[in-house]
Amino acid sequence: MIKNKKGIQLSFAWIFALIAGAVILFLAIFIAARFLDIGEYKTDTETAKRIDILLNPLQTSFEEGKVTKINLPKETEIYNDCSTSGNFGKQYISLSQESFNKFPRPGEKIGFENKYIFSSNIEQGKIFYIFSKNFEYPFKVSSVIYLTGKNYCFKDMPSRIKNEILGLKSGGSAENFYLENCPLDSIKVCFNINEDCDVIIEDKCKNDCENEFDKGIVRKDRDVMEYSTKTLMYGAIFSDEEIYECQTKRLMKRIENLAEVYYDESQFLSSRDCNTGMEPELLQLQSLSQSFDGNFILLNEIVQEINEKNIGVCKLWE
Amino acid sequence: MGIKRGKNNRAQLKTKKMGNIKNQGFLRPRKSNDFLSFLAFNCQNIRGQLKIQQMIFMLLAITLFFSLVGLFFLTYSLGDIKQGFIDIQKENAQKIVSILSNSAEFSCSSKRQNCIDMDKALIMKDREEYIKFWQVDSIEIRKLYPFEGKEIECSIGNYPNCNILKVFQKRDNGADLIAQQDNYVSLCRKEVKNGEIYEKCDFGLLIVGFEENEN
């Protein structure tokens, strides 16, 4: 029994044991924490890749008009990144699932060149809605995908667009689109009116469009996004300005490459006595899409000319 | 064991059977030229040293044991990741085959499913800008019917009198393909006969391949 209160008796062996034990305990906890972190990273990366695979059928164009609902087990943040470098630009998605009431760093970015996803930079929620539409300009370029976890309230739509929205809702999956009795947190989308709306769409057609709102401007807060075709109109509604501009430029790169393919095909068919007469316009389309700066005026004109020439048995696309 | 009260009442480090604490540690031998007494002194000190060494060995052994357990676990989980990657690749391959034939670069028409425009596919042959675009390592189109009797690879010179069109093949490191997915398609092209242009369609197979070390 220690009678001397001034001292603590500790043999060297005990000191060594305490120090070594503390070091081993620290290492064990550190490795366990790192393993947990790596496990979350792996799960998030796998989930992002599976979402990528899930998006593949939407590219067949036969899934157009259907809304797919993705239910995730936990509150999730989906990051949408876009790059315009390279021949086709690149689309990246990554995921972060909630863990202990916070979102850890997202998993590895999954990149692909053949998909175009319009969404906000970060979409958060447990339920996400995805649907696709074909982008034809003038030929079929690609199916573009819209991804959103938010509620949207559409007001005063033209009948054609209203029928489209009703068509999306008819499958039962588009629960986030409202035409009436809109929830308070829904994003209000208005056509040509300017009263307490989050998104305003202005029609710029002047008797040069097949249908109203085929070209125009989408205004969101201070962002102004010019569009041509309804496909890009929906893209502007559901995405941030940064993502919209990036994806539009990527689509133009795809048009540039497709125009080159069709130009070569046109020359090949001409050598087999099947003349299309579209070579100069296709070259011009290739040049304009290469130098696209957000303005659709010249492109709309050349697209219309090409559409008028793509007729007869030698037409290059249907 | 207890602290022997010395005259100075200070806490003292005590080791077992170390001898007189006034010696201040076991490392200092007695001031004696007697070799035997020197040895005797040091032998008394060996037990304390051995006890510490036993503890060190035990701690090292436990650490080594758990490190080995951790290594085995890591090896297993890394193997699991690789298998998961291969499974995802195969799943992806099945989906990609179905979208390839309906893409703008191959499709006859947006209104017809699984129809490949062979004129366009020939133009697509070996286009370098498309190598990474599809996330596949090879695309091949084979005409199954009517069959010419032998396999003839297509080029600009012999088209359409051929039946195998290798659109592209990326095998820069010689790795084997782990998955080849295929899909039956219509192969249509513009044909000229007696001054009349019409669309001629054959029956074929679209084959895509993936490498083992796909990024």
Side-chain angles (χ1 to χ4, degrees):
Chain A
M1 192 170 166
I2 297 171
K3 294 181 183 176
N4 184 357
K5 291 180 185 177
K6 292 179 188 173
I8 300 172
Q9 179 189 3
L10 275 180
S11 68
F12 180 73
W14 273 107
I15 293 172
F16 179 80
L18 281 170
I19 293 171
V23 168
I24 290 170
L25 204 63
F26 169 77
L27 277 174
I29 292 171
F30 179 75
I31 289 169
R34 288 286 296 174
F35 211 75
L36 189 70
D37 191 39
I38 289 170
E40 280 177 350
Y41 190 85
K42 177 194 160 199
T43 305
D44 288 346
T45 305
E46 272 184 12
T47 308
K49 187 64 183 175
R50 289 202 184 279
I51 287 180
D52 166 29
I53 294 170
L54 201 73
L55 297 176
N56 279 336
L58 292 168
Q59 301 232 83
T60 60
S61 80
F62 294 95
E63 294 293 318
E64 193 180 7
K66 293 181 195 172
V67 175
T68 302
K69 187 173 156 182
I70 297 179
N71 270 311
L72 294 168
K74 296 184 201 176
E75 192 80 5
T76 303
E77 282 182 344
I78 298 181
Y79 293 80
N80 182 351
D81 287 317
C82 175
S83 164
T84 54
S85 61
N87 288 318
F88 296 97
K90 209 156 186 180
Q91 167 80 61
Y92 296 96
I93 59 168
S94 54
L95 235 70
S96 173
Q97 297 197 333
E98 193 183 29
S99 176
F100 303 111
N101 292 325
K102 60 176 184 176
F103 291 96
R105 68 183 171 118
E108 182 71 18
K109 281 186 185 180
I110 306 296
F112 26 81
E113 294 181 341
N114 57 353
K115 291 187 185 67
Y116 308 86
I117 302 175
F118 286 91
S119 73
S120 300
N121 184 237
I122 304 175
E123 290 282 351
Q124 183 178 332
K126 282 174 84 171
I127 300 173
F128 298 94
Y129 301 90
I130 299 176
F131 68 103
S132 69
K133 282 188 76 63
N134 281 340
F135 179 54
E136 296 185 4
Y137 199 66
F139 35 75
K140 186 200 164 183
V141 179
S142 177
S143 292
V144 303
I145 297 164
Y146 311 99
L147 183 148
T148 177
K150 305 183 190 79
N151 293 325
Y152 286 86
C153 179
F154 294 91
K155 288 185 171 181
D156 296 318
M157 291 176 288
S159 56
R160 210 166 57 93
I161 296 176
K162 188 175 181 180
N163 289 336
E164 268 191 40
I165 302 292
L166 286 171
L168 289 173
K169 283 178 71 65
S170 64
S173 294
E175 299 159 357
N176 61 329
F177 292 162
Y178 296 88
L179 302 177
E180 54 190 10
N181 301 324
C182 301
L184 288 169
D185 65 341
S186 61
I187 296 171
K188 293 177 187 52
V189 182
C190 306
F191 291 77
N192 269 347
I193 57 174
N194 194 6
E195 49 171 58
D196 191 29
C197 294
D198 302 303
V199 181
I200 301 163
I201 300 156
E202 293 177 14
D203 184 14
K204 295 292 180 190
C205 284
K206 296 172 186 174
N207 301 320
D208 54 351
C209 298
E210 200 177 321
N211 299 294
E212 58 178 331
F213 289 99
D214 271 357
K215 57 182 183 181
I217 285 173
V218 173
R219 293 185 192 276
K220 259 183 180 182
D221 296 328
R222 292 177 194 171
D223 298 335
V224 177
M225 294 172 269
E226 190 180 335
Y227 72 86
S228 183
T229 74
K230 277 203 305 22
T231 305
L232 292 185
M233 180 192 79
Y234 288 117
I237 290 172
F238 294 116
S239 62
D240 298 339
E241 186 188 20
E242 189 190 335
I243 300 290
Y244 174 78
E245 282 178 2
C246 180
Q247 298 291 14
T248 310
K249 280 189 182 144
R250 288 186 62 224
L251 284 166
M252 290 302 144
K253 283 178 179 254
R254 185 85 178 266
I255 289 175
E256 182 195 339
N257 282 283
L258 279 169
E260 190 183 336
V261 170
Y262 280 118
Y263 174 80
D264 290 344
E265 188 189 1
S266 178
Q267 288 200 311
F268 176 70
L269 290 175
S270 295
S271 69
R272 294 160 63 83
D273 299 325
C274 188
N275 294 308
T276 64
M278 282 195 282
E279 285 95 333
E281 285 80 10
L282 285 169
L283 275 178
Q284 207 172 347
L285 177 66
Q286 195 181 342
S287 167
L288 286 172
S289 51
Q290 189 179 40
S291 59
F292 177 73
D293 60 355
N295 194 306
F296 284 94
I297 295 175
L298 290 174
L299 271 169
N300 286 338
E301 285 175 12
I302 199 70
V303 162
Q304 195 168 353
E305 283 178 34
I306 291 175
N307 265 330
E308 287 164 3
K309 283 197 169 182
N310 187 43
I311 53 173
V313 289
C314 287
K315 61 181 177 180
L316 294 174
W317 60 84
E318 287 179 28
Chain B
M1 259 186 358
I3 290 185
K4 278 191 179 177
R5 279 194 183 231
K7 288 183 182 176
N8 58 5
N9 283 340
R10 286 182 188 169
Q12 297 168 354
L13 194 66
K14 185 178 177 184
T15 53
K16 256 191 179 174
K17 297 182 183 178
M18 288 291 110
N20 194 349
I21 226 166
K22 286 178 185 174
N23 288 334
Q24 292 181 5
F26 58 83
L27 293 174
R28 202 173 108 184
R30 288 181 183 180
K31 286 181 183 174
S32 168
N33 292 327
D34 188 353
F35 181 69
L36 285 174
S37 54
F38 176 81
L39 273 179
F41 179 81
N42 280 329
C43 282
Q44 285 176 350
N45 299 333
I46 283 171
R47 285 187 192 175
Q49 294 173 27
L50 261 175
K51 188 172 182 183
I52 294 174
Q53 284 171 353
Q54 278 175 359
M55 183 161 298
I56 292 170
F57 279 127
M58 188 200 70
L59 286 171
L60 278 174
I62 287 175
T63 308
L64 200 65
F65 170 74
F66 281 110
S67 303
L68 283 171
V69 168
L71 267 171
F72 276 120
F73 183 71
L74 265 175
T75 309
Y76 170 77
S77 14
L78 284 174
D80 187 44
I81 288 174
K82 191 178 177 186
Q83 186 56 42
F85 166 76
I86 291 174
D87 291 342
I88 286 176
Q89 278 291 79
K90 285 186 180 170
E91 195 181 331
N92 200 25
Q94 290 167 355
K95 297 266 192 296
I96 282 184
V97 141
S98 66
I99 67 168
L100 208 58
S101 57
N102 296 301
S103 67
E105 283 81 1
F106 292 100
S107 162
C108 306
S109 157
S110 56
K111 298 177 183 65
R112 282 189 281 172
Q113 198 174 9
N114 293 328
C115 173
I116 290 184
D117 184 341
M118 280 300 284
D119 300 324
K120 223 170 8 180
L122 185 70
I123 300 297
M124 286 293 297
K125 186 175 162 58
D126 293 330
R127 284 199 171 243
E128 286 184 7
E129 56 268 28
Y130 278 94
I131 286 177
K132 286 186 181 178
F133 183 73
W134 302 114
Q135 298 179 302
V136 301
D137 292 287
S138 72
I139 297 178
E140 190 176 299
I141 300 170
R142 284 179 174 250
K143 187 168 76 175
L144 298 179
Y145 183 83
F147 184 59
E148 274 81 14
K150 57 177 179 178
E151 290 186 350
I152 307 168
E153 191 170 334
C154 293
S155 64
I156 293 283
N158 63 6
Y159 180 82
N161 302 316
C162 56
N163 45 33
I164 298 175
L165 175 57
K166 294 185 180 177
V167 181
F168 73 83
Q169 207 149 16
K170 184 178 84 169
R171 283 200 190 172
D172 46 356
N173 58 1
D176 292 331
L177 296 172
I178 60 159
Q180 275 195 319
Q181 297 292 333
D182 48 50
N183 194 23
Y184 292 105
V185 290
S186 308
L187 306 175
C188 298
R189 64 178 190 274
K190 300 275 189 297
E191 189 81 2
V192 181
K193 192 174 181 182
N194 301 326
E196 200 178 309
I197 301 166
Y198 65 100
E199 191 179 47
K200 187 175 190 301
C201 294
D202 299 319
F203 182 64
L205 195 65
L206 172 67
I207 306 165
V208 302
F210 297 83
E211 266 183 16
E212 191 171 287
N213 296 320
E214 182 64 44
N215 55 2

